[in-house]
Amino acid sequence: MIAAISRLVSCTAPALALFALGATPRVAGAQQGAAPPAPLSTTTLLRPARVFDGVEIHTGWGVLVRGEKIERVGPAAQITAPSDARVVELSGATLMPGLIDAHSHIFLHPYDETSWNDQVLHEPLALRVARATNHLRATLLAGFTTLRDLGTEGADYADVGLKQAVAEGIIPGPRLLVSTRAIVAGGSYGPKGFDPRWDVPQGAEEADGLEGVTRVVRSQIGKGADWVKLYADYRWGPDGDARPTFTLEELSRAVEIARSSGRPVAMHATTAEGMRRAVLAGAETIEHGDAGTPEVFRLMAQRKVALCPTIAAGDAVQQYRGWKKGSQPEPPSIAEKRASVKAAIAAGVTICNGSDVGVFTHGDNARELELLVDYGLTPIQALRAATSVDARVLHMEDRIGSVAPGLFADLVAVEGDPTRDISSIRRVLLVMKGGTIYRQTLRE
């Protein structure tokens, strides 16, 4: 028998219980119809079949959580919990760090629902914020407890407010790292396709020349950016093809200004030359890398620049355009992407888990992990990319990304063993963030 309780939202998925903001979870031994339990202990003992600690898998381990942090990890027989601790039995399940998506757009929704142009130009900001609130909840319940959001796509600085709302417990959602408006070269971005007499609002902030780049980078940092994001290339060539936008000097200035404030820089780059300039300028992550070459990937490996390949976004866009995946040959862009990811892996480039979610449905972030495996990573390598590797790349390894004492209790339990079958990450049984359980499947 499966019971479900919710105090946050109505649940349509079976076996789903949501616990947060004062909601009371059921614990091992609770009975239907019993009197309401006493206030819960701040200590929780989790007893899964196995623990993926962010690097390796361990059988027979337990995890003791006190408050918002992990207190003890190791063989279950060696962990003694206080008498008032709540005990969560997770038989048959794998417990692992909360998953991380290092490339998201919380203000976008799938392009087969509404085109990108129309989302940027026609949807009111209040509507986009309301929708993004739902996106954050769906993402958290899917087991992703941290997001790096790489551009509001016309929603100005609303990501800063949503980050604050999550941090203050006003709305449920993952931990957020935000980049506000993102930065593009004048004339290179969109929306496009309008009478050239009109200055159409853009989906990112334009900056030109060293003075312009300096001003815009400082402005976005001052308004709350955790990361600075620039577009090192974009589709502004003579035939709409991708070409480099900023000069190497402009990109280097942006990195210099960002670093002086303690902010890292991510750069969108799909061409080999755009990627080369981004790496030489000092970007810490390259987003997409569609046309990366073995030479540029070797340069990335030498400079320790990570790649967020965002495979799921391109895969989704091609399906929106009519590609029947599984029954038709892969389009050229998909074949190119597959080759570039394999070249990056072969060159020893650090691979992040970053999906570009928003192009496709929020809460379906697992698509990227499944595709990383399809494109050449082993399941355990993909899981590392979404946990310990992403945490290190985001400079958060001292807080998240591993199941280890002293780190935040951001934990996810899934049915089965995702180190053998990556699709197991879709079978979420429990989501905990900062010691609070937001989702729990109750089995009797």
Side-chain angles (χ1 to χ4, degrees):
M1 176 181 180
I2 297 176
I5 305 171
S6 171
R7 286 194 57 186
L8 281 180
V9 296
S10 297
C11 301
T12 55
L16 179 62
L18 304 177
F19 309 121
L21 308 179
T24 302
R26 292 181 57 209
V27 296
Q31 296 181 355
Q32 293 281 16
L40 290 170
S41 167
T42 60
T43 305
T44 303
L45 177 60
L46 302 168
R47 290 176 170 169
R50 62 197 72 83
V51 172
F52 171 70
D53 64 6
V55 179
E56 301 294 344
I57 193 84
H58 308 273
T59 58
W61 275 26
V63 176
L64 184 66
V65 173
R66 189 183 298 273
E68 64 178 6
K69 299 287 186 69
I70 298 169
E71 183 170 281
R72 292 194 63 190
V73 179
Q78 298 177 15
I79 298 179
T80 302
S83 59
D84 64 342
R86 55 179 170 175
V87 178
V88 179
E89 298 288 353
L90 295 164
S91 59
T94 299
L95 186 71
M96 57 187 181
L99 298 170
I100 304 167
D101 193 326
H103 189 130
S104 70
H105 293 284
I106 59 175
F107 292 97
L108 293 179
H109 57 103
Y111 297 170
D112 62 341
E113 297 175 358
T114 307
S115 71
W116 182 86
N117 270 17
D118 284 349
Q119 291 185 49
V120 173
L121 293 176
H122 295 298
E123 293 186 346
L125 181 58
L127 173 67
R128 300 187 74 186
V129 170
R131 198 191 299 273
T133 300
N134 285 339
H135 294 163
L136 290 172
R137 182 175 61 240
T139 302
L140 179 62
L141 297 183
F144 287 79
T145 56
T146 299
L147 291 181
R148 180 180 62 163
D149 201 65
L150 287 180
T152 58
E153 307 293 344
D156 287 341
Y157 302 95
D159 55 348
V160 177
L162 283 180
K163 174 187 172 181
Q164 184 177 357
V166 170
E168 293 183 10
I170 297 169
I171 60 173
R175 301 179 190 278
L176 285 173
L177 296 171
V178 300
S179 60
T180 72
R181 299 173 66 185
I183 302 169
V184 295
S188 65
Y189 204 52
K192 289 186 176 292
F194 298 88
D195 187 322
R197 292 178 296 168
W198 315 128
D199 290 327
V200 177
Q202 296 291 283
E205 186 171 9
E206 294 183 330
D208 297 303
L210 297 180
E211 290 186 4
V213 167
T214 298
R215 177 184 57 80
V216 170
V217 169
R218 286 176 173 157
S219 173
Q220 292 195 6
I221 289 169
K223 292 178 180 178
D226 300 307
W227 278 69
V228 172
K229 184 197 179 179
L230 294 99
Y231 283 72
D233 57 27
Y234 206 67
R235 298 185 295 272
W236 73 323
D239 300 312
D241 52 321
R243 298 288 183 97
T245 51
F246 292 107
T247 66
L248 176 57
E249 189 178 15
E250 288 171 321
L251 294 175
S252 299
R253 174 63 63 85
V255 172
E256 178 186 9
I257 297 299
R259 280 183 177 169
S260 70
S261 76
R263 267 75 169 187
V265 176
M267 294 193 192
H268 166 116
T270 62
T271 65
E273 177 58 18
M275 294 170 68
R276 187 188 72 84
R277 292 184 193 180
V279 172
L280 294 177
E284 294 199 16
T285 65
I286 300 295
E287 312 304 311
H288 314 302
D290 297 354
T293 61
E295 293 75 21
V296 79
F297 286 130
R298 283 196 293 270
L299 180 64
M300 288 179 65
Q302 290 167 6
R303 298 289 183 103
K304 294 181 169 50
V305 178
L307 174 69
C308 280
T310 66
I311 304 168
D315 185 87
V317 167
Q318 288 302 322
Q319 291 187 66
Y320 298 156
R321 293 174 178 171
W323 173 42
K324 294 179 174 55
K325 185 175 181 178
S327 62
Q328 292 181 337
E330 291 185 341
S333 66
I334 298 295
E336 180 185 54
K337 185 73 169 186
R338 186 180 290 276
S340 74
V341 172
K342 288 184 176 180
I345 294 170
V349 173
T350 296
I351 304 297
C352 299
N353 178 60
S355 68
D356 215 355
V357 65
V359 175
F360 60 96
T361 304
H362 292 272
D364 195 22
N365 308 61
R367 289 173 69 160
E368 184 73 14
L369 284 159
E370 292 169 336
L371 285 165
L372 283 171
V373 172
D374 183 44
Y375 278 49
L377 293 186
T378 65
I380 200 165
Q381 287 173 331
L383 288 173
R384 289 170 185 157
T387 54
S388 56
V389 171
D390 266 1
R392 185 177 70 252
V393 168
L394 298 179
H395 304 281
M396 297 182 74
E397 69 271 27
D398 60 339
R399 288 165 281 172
I400 62 170
S402 299
V403 183
L407 273 62
F408 283 121
D410 291 4
L411 300 165
V412 177
V414 299
E415 188 174 357
D417 184 353
T419 67
R420 297 177 179 273
D421 175 12
I422 195 63
S423 67
S424 296
I425 60 173
R426 293 187 175 276
R427 299 192 290 273
V428 177
L429 300 176
L430 177 140
V431 177
M432 172 184 283
K433 192 189 83 172
T436 297
I437 296 176
Y438 286 84
R439 172 175 180 165
Q440 184 177 0
T441 298
L442 306 173
R443 298 177 296 178
E444 295 180 350

